[in-house]
Amino acid sequence: MTVTIYHNPDCGTSRNALAMIRQSGEEPEIVEYLENPPSRDTLMSLISAMGTTPRALLREKGTPYAALDLANPKWSDDELIDFMMAHPILINRPIVVSPKGVRLCRPSEAVLDLLAVADIGQFIKEDGEVISRKTPGAGAG
């Protein structure tokens, strides 16, 4: 199985998702999208595969979202993608791609639905929250 994570190492949610992927036994392809932004075609493919819109993928916190007036409904999808290409920090993260689908993994435990082995046992997120995913029926006998 091949898993790819569009990752920002400065983001706790992204770090938690990456750690959960690794705890499942996968070593994903890591795309640090701020250093190596996806092409326009790749970004459009990710948005389409997630069944979302460019507007829904915009990140507000810690970005030029307000300064660029991106809440204004005047911006078309193509224009919003132009902004994300010019300012990759506007792309919300982490986006995870696996054979099971493509998803913006917020909260980070949403990544478990994309993994071949979702039973990762107990996982403690950076903020101390405990996540426990067991396969239904596991341990029964």
Side-chain angles (χ1 to χ4, degrees):
M1 179 169 145
T2 302
V3 176
T4 301
I5 181 170
Y6 289 84
H7 177 63
N8 179 348
D10 293 331
C11 171
T13 300
S14 196
R15 289 191 305 268
N16 282 322
L18 176 58
M20 285 184 221
I21 293 168
R22 287 179 167 155
Q23 190 163 315
S24 81
E26 291 289 332
E27 183 52 44
E29 176 184 351
I30 300 169
V31 178
E32 290 191 20
Y33 72 95
L34 296 179
E35 294 179 17
N36 299 299
S39 69
R40 182 182 188 85
D41 287 344
T42 298
L43 182 58
M44 289 172 56
S45 292
L46 291 168
I47 290 167
S48 176
M50 287 187 282
T52 193
T53 64
R55 183 167 297 284
L57 191 60
L58 284 172
R59 179 169 177 81
E60 296 179 38
K61 184 179 173 186
T63 73
Y65 181 91
L68 294 170
D69 191 31
L70 295 181
N72 191 322
K74 73 178 182 178
W75 303 114
S76 70
D77 284 353
D78 281 340
E79 290 170 320
L80 294 174
I81 289 172
D82 289 341
F83 282 114
M84 286 188 258
M85 297 305 303
H87 308 278
I89 193 72
L90 288 166
I91 303 170
N92 214 340
R93 75 282 181 157
I95 298 171
V96 177
V97 179
S98 86
K100 290 188 169 189
V102 180
R103 188 172 198 176
L104 173 63
C105 293
R106 298 189 77 81
S108 54
E109 57 269 23
V111 75
L112 297 173
D113 294 332
L114 297 175
L115 302 176
V117 177
D119 181 356
I120 64 168
Q122 181 173 304
F123 179 85
I124 301 173
K125 292 169 69 170
E126 290 182 4
D127 66 2
E129 180 183 355
V130 176
I131 303 298
S132 183
R133 174 69 69 98
K134 297 279 185 192
T135 305

